């Protein structure tokens, strides 16, 4: 059993959502004994592979309320690795959190919306697109819309308070190929992968790779949770262990 870790903003939001969740929801998947922290099966817990890192970039994770309690959610991996640099909010179209609006209007920041590539074309019609980040001392703050493809689209189009912000164009994924990903998700980039590309764009390669590795470990352990077998440890675990 690991010692309790300090709460990051995702865990605080999750506790709040758990308190609101219905009993039916909580009963789902009850047969698996899950780690309370990472929500994976106890035999596939990722908590001991989680480094705490510092970055110059920051993230605003805008989560659809349904996403917060999903064990498949990957946005939380960003808050895991960068707890001091990840701000997490439940999305509300009409009542955005004042702290969120405060971050968005902070003149020290460059807030950029990360909207998956398929939508860039549509977004370009009315939005400024950013392909590289000027080195002007502002904190690059990436706003991630964390939900299903459909939910993220709605969050993007319905949030009038996001209207004035440019969209970032992410670099191509470097083809390391997360084969396991496709077995349980769409072909779209996951939130964690999109964040890794943001870090790459911001020239934070080491942290980008660490997040990619942590995401890969998450995938392996998630599959091990589903298959009820212990996860196989590989090179990716060794790389993460060096950062612990
Ligand atoms: Zn765990």
């Amino acid at each position: 059993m690991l010692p309790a870790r300090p709460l990051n903003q995702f865990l605080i939001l999750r506790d709040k959502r758990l308190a609101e969740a219905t009993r039916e929801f909580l009963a789902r998947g009850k047969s698996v004994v899950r780690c309370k922290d990472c929500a994976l099966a106890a035999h596939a817990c990722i908590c001991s592979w989680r480094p705490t890192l510092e970055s110059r970039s920051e993230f605003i994770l805008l989560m659809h309320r349904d996403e917060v309690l999903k064990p498949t959610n990957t946005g939380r991996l960003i808050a895991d690795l960068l707890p001091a640099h990840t701000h997490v909010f439940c999305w509300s179209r009409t009542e955005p959190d004042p702290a969120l609006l405060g971050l968005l209007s902070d003149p020290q920041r460059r807030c950029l919306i990360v909207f998956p590539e398929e939508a860039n074309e549509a977004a370009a019609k009315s939005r400024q697109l950013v392909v590289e980040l000027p080195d002007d001392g502002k904190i690059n703050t990436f706003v991630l819309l964390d939900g299903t493809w459909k939910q993220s689209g709605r969050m993007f189009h319905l949030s009038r308070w996001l209207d004035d912000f440019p969209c970032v164009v992410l670099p191509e994924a470097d083809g390391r190929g997360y084969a396991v990903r496709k077995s349980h998700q769409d072909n779209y980039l996951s939130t964690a992968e999109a964040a890794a590309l943001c870090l790459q764009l911001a020239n934070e390669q080491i942290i980008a790779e660490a997040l990619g590795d942590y995401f890969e470990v998450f995938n392996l352990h998630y599959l091990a949770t589903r298959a009820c077998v212990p996860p196989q440890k590989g090179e990716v675990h060794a790389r993460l262990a060096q950062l612990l």
Side-chain angles (χ1 to χ4, degrees):
M1 192 80 174
L2 293 165
R5 62 169 156 150
L7 290 180
N8 65 45
Q9 289 194 22
F10 168 77
L11 294 172
I12 294 167
L13 179 60
R14 189 176 66 184
D15 282 352
K16 201 170 142 227
R17 287 284 296 119
L18 273 172
E20 297 164 356
T22 62
R23 244 187 298 159
E24 287 82 336
F25 187 95
L26 295 174
R28 262 203 261 165
K30 227 181 171 182
S31 55
V32 186
V33 179
R34 289 181 184 269
C35 166
K36 278 204 173 72
D37 195 335
C38 66
L40 296 176
H43 70 264
C45 165
I46 55 169
C47 294
S48 56
W49 303 103
R50 177 192 303 125
T52 300
L53 303 174
E54 297 293 332
S55 72
R56 297 187 305 276
S57 309
E58 300 218 339
F59 290 93
I60 295 176
L61 196 56
L62 278 184
M63 303 188 81
H64 190 277
R65 65 197 303 279
D66 295 344
E67 193 66 29
V68 181
L69 296 178
K70 280 187 191 166
T72 50
N73 173 264
T74 69
R76 63 196 172 112
L77 305 180
I78 307 158
D80 276 349
L81 249 59
L82 298 170
H85 307 278
T86 309
H87 311 270
V88 185
F89 300 95
C90 218
W91 176 75
S92 164
R93 181 177 68 85
T94 52
E95 293 173 38
D97 192 310
L100 165 64
L101 297 180
L103 289 167
L104 292 172
S105 60
D106 178 356
Q108 310 287 330
R109 296 177 185 276
R110 180 183 2 271
C111 291
L112 301 155
I113 301 174
V114 183
F115 198 54
E117 62 279 12
E118 284 84 354
N120 271 348
E121 205 181 316
K125 288 176 189 151
S126 54
R127 301 267 180 165
Q128 186 199 341
L129 291 182
V130 171
V131 284
E132 58 185 51
L133 304 169
D135 190 8
D136 57 5
K138 287 196 173 183
I139 305 164
N140 290 311
T141 305
F142 298 100
V143 181
L144 296 156
L145 307 170
D146 200 11
T148 62
W149 173 247
K150 206 170 152 192
Q151 287 164 347
S152 303
R154 276 174 52 82
M155 289 154 79
F156 177 74
H157 292 291
L158 297 179
S159 306
R160 293 281 71 90
W161 35 274
L162 284 178
D163 277 353
D164 296 335
F165 294 93
C167 283
V168 69
V169 178
L170 296 177
E172 290 283 312
D174 65 6
R176 275 170 66 183
Y178 297 110
V180 280
R181 170 166 60 90
K182 289 184 182 157
S183 63
H184 72 88
Q185 287 181 347
D186 300 328
N187 290 328
Y188 301 123
L189 281 179
S190 68
T191 307
E193 286 171 295
L197 292 175
C198 292
L199 289 162
Q200 205 177 303
L201 187 70
N203 279 324
E204 302 208 67
Q205 195 60 32
I206 290 171
I207 304 163
E209 281 168 19
L211 181 56
D213 284 344
Y214 186 54
F215 172 71
E216 195 176 334
V217 163
F218 168 76
N219 272 298
L220 291 168
H221 289 226
Y222 179 83
L223 291 179
T225 295
R226 297 263 306 243
C228 299
V229 294
Q232 289 228 326
K233 306 281 174 8
E235 273 175 39
V236 65
H237 292 84
R239 284 200 298 273
L240 277 177
Q242 286 174 358
L243 299 171
L244 294 170

